[in-house]
Amino acid sequence: MVMLKYLNELSFYYFAAQTEELAQVWLRVMKRHTLKTPDTTKTEVQQIRSLSLSIRDNKLAKSSGHSNVYCLVFLDGAALAKTILMQVPCIFDESYLFQDLLLSTTSFSVELLSASKRAYIKDSSIGRVTIQLSDMPNGQDDDKWHHLMTKGSRTAQGSLKLVANFKLLLSDNLTVIEALATVCKDHHAELACALIQIFCHYKTLV
């Protein structure tokens, strides 16, 4: 059995091999490509990063013809959050918090989609906003309207108002944090959240 998680939905797939030997080969291949085993030999902590994101409002052309829309939030190309389905015109006003971001995460995207009226027709993309984390001020709200763009087009299909806050804790001496990371190895997300809150509170005092 293979279990796949997409957003908040779980899907199960069952496979049957002709022989036990072939089943073991399948398992080895699938484990190699699906399981992410932590590297216990590397405990160095370099950065602690988090991203809070609020999807506030949208603007679409009156002649767009879209009636029901929703948004998907992407990190590293994977959809991690989905807004509720809203009828145009609408205000989303939904917020998300992504803690302990991977160092490989360099950007996030928000895509606005139009829901199909028929179950057998795929929902269509209206446009997407992609923001580089390196372009965001550290620890400050980035409250802006962003153009919704599609591949192969230079014309905006509308706009989204996003409020994003990217927090980065970076220090030359992280011995204490490395020790905490070792002790709290099963609770890295909670540790990252607590350290970021401490860091932000300290910044307001100095």
Side-chain angles (χ1 to χ4, degrees), residues 1 13-20 22-23 26 30:
M1 181 187 73
Y13 299 89
Y14 296 88
F15 297 88
Q18 294 180 347
T19 64
E20 183 177 351
L22 184 57
W26 285 12
M30 286 189 289

Side-chain angles (χ1 to χ4, degrees), residues 31-142:
K31 285 181 179 180
R32 187 165 63 246
H33 291 282
T34 58
L35 294 182
K36 296 182 179 180
T37 56
D39 186 358
T40 57
T41 63
K42 187 175 181 180
T43 59
E44 181 181 0
V45 179
Q46 297 178 342
Q47 296 180 353
I48 299 177
R49 312 189 304 164
S50 73
L51 172 68
S52 61
L53 174 65
S54 295
I55 304 174
R56 296 288 175 85
D57 202 352
N58 68 91
K59 292 180 181 178
L60 296 175
K62 294 182 179 180
S63 59
S64 63
H66 304 296
S67 56
N68 295 289
V69 297
Y70 64 94
C71 290
L72 290 177
V73 181
F74 294 84
L75 283 178
D76 295 328
L80 299 183
K82 178 182 179 181
T83 65
I84 61 175
L85 188 66
M86 301 286 287
Q87 186 174 0
V88 178
C90 60
I91 297 177
F92 289 107
D93 200 19
E94 295 195 31
S95 300
Y96 308 93
L97 176 61
F98 304 98
Q99 302 177 18
D100 200 12
L101 296 179
L102 297 175
L103 293 178
S104 59
T105 302
T106 59
S107 65
F108 70 92
S109 299
V110 180
E111 184 175 11
L112 183 66
L113 296 100
S114 176
S116 172
K117 297 180 180 179
R118 297 177 175 84
Y120 58 87
I121 299 180
K122 185 179 179 181
D123 296 344
S124 60
S125 174
I126 298 174
R128 178 182 287 215
V129 174
T130 299
I131 299 176
Q132 300 296 322
L133 297 179
S134 59
D135 295 336
M136 299 180 61
N138 185 21
Q140 300 179 25
D141 284 345
D142 187 39

Side-chain angles (χ1 to χ4, degrees), residues 171-190:
S171 174
D172 295 331
N173 185 4
L174 295 176
T175 305
V176 175
I177 296 179
E178 290 179 0
L180 288 172
T182 302
V183 174
C184 306
K185 60 182 179 179
D186 296 327
H187 305 281
H188 280 176
E190 293 85 350

